[in-house]
Amino acid sequence: MKILIMGAGKMGSFFIDLLSFDHEVAVFEKDAKRLRFTYNCQRFTSVDEIADFKPELLINAVTVKYTIPAFKEVLPYIPEDCIISDISSVKTNLREFYEQAGHPYVSTHPMFGPTFANLNQLSEENAIIISEGDYMGRIFFKDLYQKLGLNIYEYTFEEHDKTVAYSLSIPFVSTFVFAAVMKHQDAPGTTFKRHMRIAKGVLSEDDYLLQEILFNPYTHDQVSQIRTELKELLDIIDHKDAVRMKAYLTKIRNHVRE
């Protein structure tokens, strides 16, 4: 299959490495410096080259802020039957875009990234395939993710956004709070160092990505739960209530166990 990957960032490069030995792969990247470390693929910096390549599958791996603008830029240069796809963690407005784009489409979300995941060992990582899309496109990504050993789930766009609101917004907000109140430690403990490593990883993500995840319409209720729990915990601390503290620890241990 002839596959065009848009963007030679971390995930774009990952997909180039993953696909280039089994398919004819090209990468479109305007920043030529990012193409220095790509190999076994054709490298394009202009849309005219895309027209000559005639891809059968387009994987949009650009920064989430530019996902839809990047699609719009290249659509006039790809065949009508080319399947267009994204791997974005934020699906805002994508369903509406796909429905009027005039191309078969597939949308997936590999729920891991180079910041924390071991890309050589992904058996504990997950991927979501949006059920509202082209059948053959979904089969392609399902086969690909199965080969990686990922745990695969099929959700609608709405179900995906609800899942992201829970699985990303809660840890992100918890990390923000930690980063906001922390102070430098000359001799930090193990737990502090682990939290700091997570905070640095999360805060290295693109600002727009963090913003859009938190602006997800389902995020508010999840963050409100954090506020409720903090209020209860603070009340227990203020009253030095050992009985309530034990009950609270039992509750959260059961959550973690489940």
Side-chain angles (χ1 to χ4, degrees):
M1 179 182 287
K2 299 180 74 171
I3 300 174
L4 175 69
I5 295 172
M6 295 177 60
K10 293 176 181 178
M11 289 303 288
S13 297
F14 170 71
F15 274 90
I16 293 169
D17 293 345
L18 184 63
L19 295 167
S20 61
F21 289 96
D22 296 316
H23 302 275
E24 186 178 350
V25 171
V27 56
F28 173 57
E29 171 60 66
K30 292 181 178 179
D31 183 355
K33 291 181 179 179
R34 284 191 164 191
L35 295 173
R36 288 179 298 177
F37 304 109
T38 56
Y39 62 96
N40 202 37
C41 65
Q42 297 184 54
R43 298 181 288 185
F44 302 154
T45 56
S46 80
V47 289
D48 294 331
E49 295 171 292
I50 294 174
D52 294 334
F53 181 65
K54 295 183 175 61
E56 300 168 78
L57 171 66
L58 167 65
I59 300 177
N60 189 335
V62 304
T63 305
V64 65
K65 182 177 182 179
Y66 300 109
T67 299
I68 292 178
F71 271 137
K72 290 180 177 179
E73 182 179 7
V74 303
L75 285 186
Y77 300 92
I78 63 175
E80 291 184 1
D81 58 352
C82 177
I83 300 172
I84 59 176
S85 71
D86 74 278
I87 55 170
S88 176
S89 56
V90 176
K91 304 297 185 186
T92 307
N93 299 323
L94 272 171
R95 176 169 52 187
E96 293 77 9
F97 169 77
Y98 280 135
E99 287 175 351
Q100 58 81 42
H103 283 265
Y105 72 87
V106 57
S107 183
T108 75
H109 179 186
M111 297 187 70
F112 59 86
T115 302
F116 294 117
N118 177 0
L119 298 181
N120 294 314
Q121 178 54 262
L122 296 172
S123 60
E124 295 184 0
E125 305 294 343
N126 304 314
I128 293 174
I129 298 175
I130 302 299
S131 58
E132 303 159 79
D134 179 76
Y135 174 75
M136 294 306 297
R138 298 202 312 272
I139 291 297
F140 175 87
F141 279 98
K142 187 173 183 179
D143 289 344
L144 181 64
Y145 292 155
Q146 283 178 335
K147 289 177 182 177
L148 291 173
L150 293 168
N151 302 297
I152 302 169
Y153 301 89
E154 289 202 27
Y155 294 152
T156 64
F157 278 107
E158 182 178 10
E159 289 167 340
H160 168 271
D161 288 349
K162 288 180 179 179
T163 298
V164 167
Y166 172 76
S167 65
L168 292 183
S169 64
I170 287 180
F172 279 14
V173 168
S174 300
T175 299
F176 290 173
V177 172
F178 168 79
V181 302
M182 60 147 289
K183 296 179 181 179
H184 173 73
Q185 299 288 319
D186 290 327
T190 301
T191 302
F192 184 95
K193 287 190 289 186
R194 288 177 177 173
H195 277 282
M196 177 61 79
R197 187 162 59 248
I198 292 172
K200 287 180 177 179
V202 169
L203 293 172
S204 71
E205 296 285 0
D206 177 76
D207 286 0
Y208 185 83
L209 170 65
L210 297 174
Q211 170 188 297
E212 289 304 293
I213 287 171
L214 294 183
F215 288 176
N216 179 322
Y218 302 102
T219 293
H220 176 271
D221 290 346
Q222 300 295 341
V223 177
S224 292
Q225 290 184 51
I226 296 177
R227 182 173 58 189
T228 300
E229 292 298 320
L230 284 174
K231 183 178 180 180
E232 180 182 356
L233 185 57
L234 187 59
D235 189 64
I236 293 171
I237 293 169
D238 287 343
H239 289 88
K240 296 181 172 57
D241 191 329
V243 174
R244 287 176 64 200
M245 187 76 253
K246 181 175 178 59
Y248 191 84
L249 290 172
T250 299
K251 180 184 77 171
I252 61 177
R253 283 183 177 128
N254 287 335
H255 279 182
V256 172
R257 193 176 297 119
E258 293 170 359

